[in-house]
Amino acid sequence: MNVNQSAPPVPPFGQSQPIYPGYHQSSYSGQPGPAAPATLHGAYNGPAPGYQQVPPQGVLRAPPSSGVPPASAAQVPCAQTTYGQFGQGDIQNGPSSTAQMQRVPGSQQFGPPLAPVVSQPAVLQPYGPPPTSSQVTAQLAGMQIGGAVAQAPPASGLGYGPPTSLASASGNFPNSGPYGSYPQSQAPPLSQAQGHPGVQPPLRPAPPLASSFTSPASGGPRMPSMTGPLPPGQGFGSLPVNQANHVSSPPAHALPPGTQMTGPPVPPPPPMHSPQQPGYQLQQNGSFGPARGPQPNYESPYPGAPTFGSQPGPPQPLPPKRLDPDAIPSPQLNELPPQQKTRHRIDPDAIPSPIQVIEDDRNNRGSEPFITGVRGQVPPLVTTNFLVKDQGNASPRYIRCTSYNIPCTSDMAKQAQVPLAAVIKPLARLPPEEASPYVVDHGESGPLRCNRCKAYMCPLMTFIEGGRRFQCSFCSCINDVPPQYFQHLDHTGKRVDAYDRPELSLGSYEFLATVDYCKNNKFPSPPAFIFMIDVSYNAIRTGLVRLLCEELKSLLDYLPREGGAEESAIRVGFVTYNKVLHFYNVKSSLAQPQMMVVSDVADMFVPLLDGFLVNVSESRAVITSLLDQIPEMFADTRETETVFAPVIQAGMEALKAAECAGKLFLFHTSLPIAEAPGKLKNRDDRKLINTDKEKTLFQPQTGTYQTLAKECVAQGCCVDLFLFPNQYVDVATLSVVPQLTGGSVYKYACFQVENDQERFLSDLRRDVQKVVGFDAVMRVRTSTGIRAVDFFGAFYMSNTTDVELAGLDGDKTVTVEFKHDDRLNEENGALLQCALLYTSCAGQRRLRIHNLALNCCTQLADLYRNCETDTLINYMAKFAYRAVLSSPVKTVRDTLITQCAQILACYRKNCASPSSAGQLILPECMKLLPVYLNCVLKSDVLQPGAEVTTDDRAYVRQLVSSMDVAETNVFFYPRLLPLTKSPLDSTAEPPAVRASEERLSSGDIYLLENGLNLFVWVGASVQQGVVQSLFNVSSFSQITSGLSVLPVLDNPLSKKVRGLIDSLRAQRTRYMKLIVVKQEDKLEMMFKHFLVEDKSLSGGASYVDFLCHMHKEIRQLLS
């Protein structure tokens, strides 16, 4: 079935079912919806319709004669558009076909010509579409792939002249980062392989498997000159490593087959398009997707957009040279004219760009719904907005895999080194356009399961013997169908009621659990929330207690409720504490709340049962009175010491006495140094960083908290911790209980009401209101051949299979790694079923089931074609962040680099067609693996800067452990959005630019976000009108650095920027506090920390340097 094919019509869920009482039948996605537009593009990532497979007509050039490039070539600005053979509607992949030319002093020797590059053979792919075109030419640095190689007229501003050779510039990379210098001879050209084999619409040859760039000839043996036509789908081209950013050489002209190029080239044929037809702009951000039109978000404006085929214009003045963060130029270099400055580095525009990949996926896959009916489809990227139609496999919002095509054998998996893992988000929130999972009620008998492996009934099961029995697809056991569940089969062997039953037609659904699934064989009570407030001197002095009590008065009206319930079933209780604990009786019959003090913190007990946990609406007046009194009661406190473990113990005992699950909200300010169980000492020691003892900084100080967490999980007591530290509080130890109970930690260092109030209250509101499953157990079942072996996230495990969660919300993920325990076969594929048993907010026991079928392969190329880099990085980050508990950080970093090199070396060795060792060849699906992995390696946990505290590192470590794929994607590679380039009336987000200082223009304002932080960077030469519109001051110098809120002004720019900030905050799980940063200001160092493509202050390599290092590692493995 083609991915884009519309679903078969199905009967609606609303049909009456005499034998099937009581599941909610709101509506089903099978009902005819609005008609989807006819598919414009065919399958994802596949070629555009109407390609013609024509062998290339060109030949490789003979080594050209040396000579100084013509003067005109040296004066073309980098931003000047070069038009090749691309007219309106054609696609240009990667940078322009015109190789860039480096101006060299006349006395310098010209080196040998560049080694030709041969691209990878074409492979068919079953996924969605690039735009239609009559011809596709994928190019990186002059490489022509597929289709006839047409002759390109020169760029505007270049005259025709004799062929010129490219200088083989001498020099090494600057010695930046931990990887040392990288000789120019080894600098990696780059290559991609793409393609997904499978069914393809007719008459569409696919794009090539890989494109690549090579280093100068010194990088490896030179291939001999070839004459005659190349095989179909192959081409040539190469990219010099060290080249000026602003000089272009004339393009090579294509020749008739079989001819050798000698002497001056023949004049070009007439252009393919009329002069009026504009061509595509030269791509600026250097990725491999279709070239975009003029991009408003790049520093150098296009000097003009001459139409295709126009006469060469006069030479343009040179644009300003971009900043080079990797090399501080010497004065002598600065005195040279711009044409003569050499740049000893790969052009960053010639290496894979995350921005371009994200943009291409949005364009190709954002318009069509993702239909889950086909096994093993790779979903759109997490950065793409798309609609999901569930037709038998779980939505990617619930489960994402590192690969959707699993190797059939463990030997093949070991060879590839690609981790097989799934990131599962069982209670993920869905957009309003998608229906929540249907709830199925099978009455007393409960859900139907396999007798042997206990898998739940799902669309993957096979009914046999006329519907009287079913075969389990997980363990192949044959089971009887109970009489009340029997139904006849149609001519295809499918049950005739398949589309009336969610569990036979959907990937995700819920069962109401019977009493057998409940603790002590009795249905649970509704859960409770207990608010536990630190009232020590620090908390009172900062105004935290008063702020919190004021907020709780209104917030208690918004407790989570089930479906259309009038009010929440959740009961609430209140405790305050410093060195002792104060419990409050807020029974509705009392005129005033009563306080009871427990000072024996070593042997904690709950002094009252009746009146501690109450219904909000019944006890409203007493609760309001209490919240008014708390700030006054402790206003004059001088108590600075606090306890911590006894507070959690007290909350858990209260839930145990009430026989219900629930959540504790702890608001805590300082290191618990008072005499009590769980007392901690200050052990912060920066001298341990980069030593073998560094791991102790991430480990808890004492075992008390693990024991306490285990008791909490048994009771279904989840802990959410809000920290307000002014100094070290040992987050590594305090976060143990939240981490193991499925809770969250929020941290507000140096809390000040005026600056942090909005962030804290926003996080608190969201945390109290979000839907939570309590007392949960999750198990992942797999079909024969693979099994779940490792788990990452915020949970507790008392055995090797069950993930126990005292609480689980819609933001938390559990990451599961799989290993082979037998051989898989391609026909059956590999199946996963995630079952989550939990108590809803209303106290209902439920089972949520997610099913996913994956393909299996015997060829490594199929594995590499169906990987998802974002999920892979999510898994690798979690693996590394857990490993720092037991291994030195350096060992963890080296392990990641080695694994990445092995993955890419295996691809190079087994899947890429032979090419010179000077080329770096990356699989299409993994071309961003190096840039994203470098971001993980440079993160605060693995490579802290001097300003990063031990608590910050521990906080980020536990935060990442339960992040989903979308959150890790933006956390490790932040989004950088220019604010003044897009039209003011546009409501769309401005197109992002790459996270590098080179991309910042001092005449612009940029917004950077990573899910936790939000910066507005203001360039020093921003127009006065823009400053006035946004900040309400008349000049750049009057803007307050560190400002955390933009003034509300009635003008289009102010409205647009504030609207954008609001929409970004709404997308993230935590409120991002805004910081305004001015260019050249002291706060700019903090901002630059997030420009992850650049070299970091803590020693992290730039993207370019890391790519070179990666290439060196791959070559070592291959040799």
Side-chain angles (χ1 to χ4, degrees), residues 370-448:
F370 178 70
I371 297 169
T372 70
V374 181
R375 184 177 84 186
Q377 290 180 90
V378 181
L381 299 181
V382 285
T383 44
T384 299
N385 280 328
F386 60 99
L387 200 63
V388 179
K389 288 197 173 166
D390 185 341
Q391 290 192 357
N393 282 301
S395 159
R397 303 192 205 288
Y398 294 121
I399 306 181
R400 278 190 178 263
C401 297
T402 52
S403 177
Y404 288 80
N405 209 330
I406 292 183
C408 281
T409 64
S410 59
D411 291 347
M412 195 172 151
K414 280 179 192 145
Q415 187 184 357
Q417 287 283 318
V418 176
L420 305 175
V423 179
I424 305 173
K425 196 175 181 183
L427 297 179
R429 288 188 310 280
L430 301 179
E433 312 85 69
E434 294 175 25
S436 297
Y438 291 91
V439 182
V440 180
D441 185 0
H442 280 309
E444 298 282 308
S445 59
L448 186 56

Side-chain angles (χ1 to χ4, degrees), residues 1-12 28-33 371 373-374 389-391 494 499 505:
M1 173 178 165
N2 187 329
V3 183
N4 297 315
Q5 196 172 309
S6 58
V10 294
Y28 178 43
S29 56
Q31 282 184 329
I371 297 169
V374 181
K389 288 197 173 166
D390 185 341
Q391 290 192 357
K494 217 171 183 176
Y499 289 110
S505 54

Side-chain angles (χ1 to χ4, degrees), residues 92 102 308 407 419 589 841 859 899 940 948 1074 1103:
Q92 177 184 3
Q102 180 167 304
F308 183 89
S589 57
C841 293
Q859 301 295 321
Q899 183 173 17
D940 291 341
V948 180
L1074 176 71
Y1103 175 19

Side-chain angles (χ1 to χ4, degrees), residues 148-313:
V149 179
Q151 186 163 350
S156 174
L158 288 175
Y160 297 122
T164 55
S165 70
L166 290 166
S168 174
S170 57
N172 290 339
F173 283 126
N175 185 357
S176 61
Y179 308 117
S181 63
Y182 194 91
Q184 168 239 339
S185 62
Q186 296 173 342
L190 195 63
S191 198
Q192 283 105 79
Q194 65 188 34
H196 303 258
V199 186
Q200 189 74 9
L203 300 172
R204 292 190 195 177
L209 188 70
S211 54
S212 54
F213 68 67
T214 53
S215 48
S218 51
R222 196 153 49 86
M223 291 166 69
S225 258
M226 292 163 61
T227 55
L230 292 167
Q234 296 197 354
F236 55 92
S238 54
L239 173 99
V241 176
N242 298 336
Q243 53 186 349
N245 231 11
H246 48 267
V247 184
S248 298
S249 69
H253 300 297
L255 299 174
T259 57
Q260 192 88 6
M261 187 166 183
T262 52
V266 293
M272 295 178 292
H273 300 275
S274 66
Q276 288 78 20
Q277 217 172 343
Y280 268 109
Q281 297 270 13
L282 168 66
Q283 239 171 307
Q284 284 258 326
N285 66 347
S287 182
F288 302 75
R292 292 185 282 176
Q295 294 184 53
N297 46 332
Y298 276 112
E299 174 190 324
S300 315
Y302 288 106
T307 50
F308 183 89
S310 59
Q311 289 303 308

Side-chain angles (χ1 to χ4, degrees), residues 518-541:
C518 303
K519 261 188 197 162
N520 310 324
N521 275 13
K522 78 181 216 194
F523 284 112
S525 307
F529 284 179
I530 304 178
F531 296 90
M532 316 188 88
I533 305 166
D534 176 349
V535 288
S536 65
Y537 175 72
N538 273 337
I540 297 290
R541 180 184 60 81

Side-chain angles (χ1 to χ4, degrees), residues 488-788:
H488 295 286
L489 308 184
D490 65 13
H491 65 284
T492 64
K494 217 171 183 176
R495 279 174 59 124
V496 295
D497 67 346
Y499 289 110
D500 298 336
R501 292 184 175 271
E503 75 274 24
L504 298 182
S505 54
L506 292 176
S508 302
Y509 43 87
E510 291 197 327
F511 291 119
L512 281 187
T514 58
V515 75
D516 305 334
Y517 291 88
C518 303
K519 261 188 197 162
N520 310 324
N521 275 13
K522 78 181 216 194
F523 284 112
S525 307
F529 284 179
I530 304 178
F531 296 90
M532 316 188 88
I533 305 166
D534 176 349
V535 288
S536 65
Y537 175 72
N538 273 337
I540 297 290
R541 180 184 60 81
T542 56
L544 168 65
V545 174
R546 189 173 296 278
L547 178 71
L548 174 59
C549 289
E550 202 54 47
E551 177 64 24
L552 285 178
K553 287 183 207 170
S554 55
L555 188 54
L556 293 176
D557 291 330
Y558 298 98
L559 298 177
R561 63 194 73 183
E562 199 70 26
E566 286 281 312
E567 58 181 49
S568 176
I570 292 172
R571 292 170 296 163
V572 297
F574 300 89
V575 173
T576 56
Y577 68 94
N578 38 48
K579 264 171 40 173
V580 296
L581 276 74
H582 323 107
F583 293 79
Y584 296 93
N585 184 346
V586 282
K587 198 172 178 180
S588 56
S589 57
L590 295 173
Q592 284 292 319
Q594 296 172 346
M595 177 203 272
M596 297 183 186
V597 180
V598 178
S599 52
D600 184 4
V601 289
D603 183 19
M604 185 44 64
F605 67 97
V606 180
L608 77 162
L609 288 178
D610 190 31
F612 179 62
L613 294 177
V614 296
N615 181 293
V616 174
S617 57
E618 288 171 13
S619 296
R620 159 75 60 201
V622 192
I623 291 173
T624 304
S625 172
L626 171 67
L627 294 172
D628 283 335
Q629 290 177 39
I630 287 175
E632 306 307 328
M633 271 192 288
F634 299 99
D636 300 325
T637 185
R638 285 289 170 264
E639 185 55 74
T640 54
E641 293 187 357
T642 56
V643 295
F644 188 73
V647 184
I648 296 173
Q649 179 87 34
M652 184 195 66
E653 297 289 352
L655 294 176
K656 191 184 282 184
E659 295 185 340
C660 68
K663 186 186 267 197
L664 311 182
F665 295 85
L666 245 84
F667 304 90
H668 189 80
T669 58
S670 56
L671 192 69
I673 54 171
E675 269 319 315
K679 174 186 175 181
L680 301 179
K681 60 179 191 292
N682 187 335
R683 54 163 186 163
D684 190 16
D685 186 1
R686 290 193 65 83
K687 292 198 287 292
L688 297 181
I689 293 176
N690 294 328
T691 70
D692 285 353
K693 287 188 177 174
E694 185 172 5
K695 57 180 182 251
T696 60
L697 297 174
F698 296 111
Q699 297 164 353
Q701 266 189 57
T702 158
T704 309
Y705 291 96
Q706 270 107 329
T707 313
L708 185 56
K710 190 176 168 181
E711 291 172 26
C712 286
V713 171
Q715 183 47 48
C717 167
C718 171
V719 179
D720 279 358
L721 175 60
F722 292 79
L723 283 171
F724 304 87
N726 288 335
Q727 53 199 25
Y728 178 74
V729 288
D730 200 349
V731 173
T733 305
L734 298 189
S735 64
V736 165
V737 179
Q739 178 78 0
L740 293 178
T741 59
S744 308
V745 179
Y746 298 85
K747 180 167 161 285
Y748 310 89
C750 303
F751 180 81
Q752 292 175 307
V753 169
E754 56 277 12
N755 290 340
D756 303 294
Q757 163 178 346
E758 196 179 353
R759 178 175 158 226
F760 162 55
L761 294 182
S762 176
D763 286 342
L764 176 63
R765 285 167 196 150
R766 187 187 164 92
D767 197 55
V768 169
Q769 292 172 37
K770 64 186 170 191
V771 174
V772 182
F774 293 97
D775 213 356
V777 182
M778 184 178 115
R779 183 177 283 195
V780 178
R781 293 179 173 85
T782 53
S783 54
T784 311
I786 55 169
R787 62 194 170 92

Side-chain angles (χ1 to χ4, degrees), residues 124 138 181 185 338 405 411 425 484 514 620 726 867 882 941 981 984 1031 1079:
L124 296 174
S181 63
S185 62
N405 209 330
D411 291 347
K425 196 175 181 183
Q484 74 273 19
T514 58
R620 159 75 60 201
N726 288 335
C867 287
R882 187 178 68 182
V941 174
K981 293 287 179 73
L984 287 178
F1031 300 101
Q1079 188 175 5

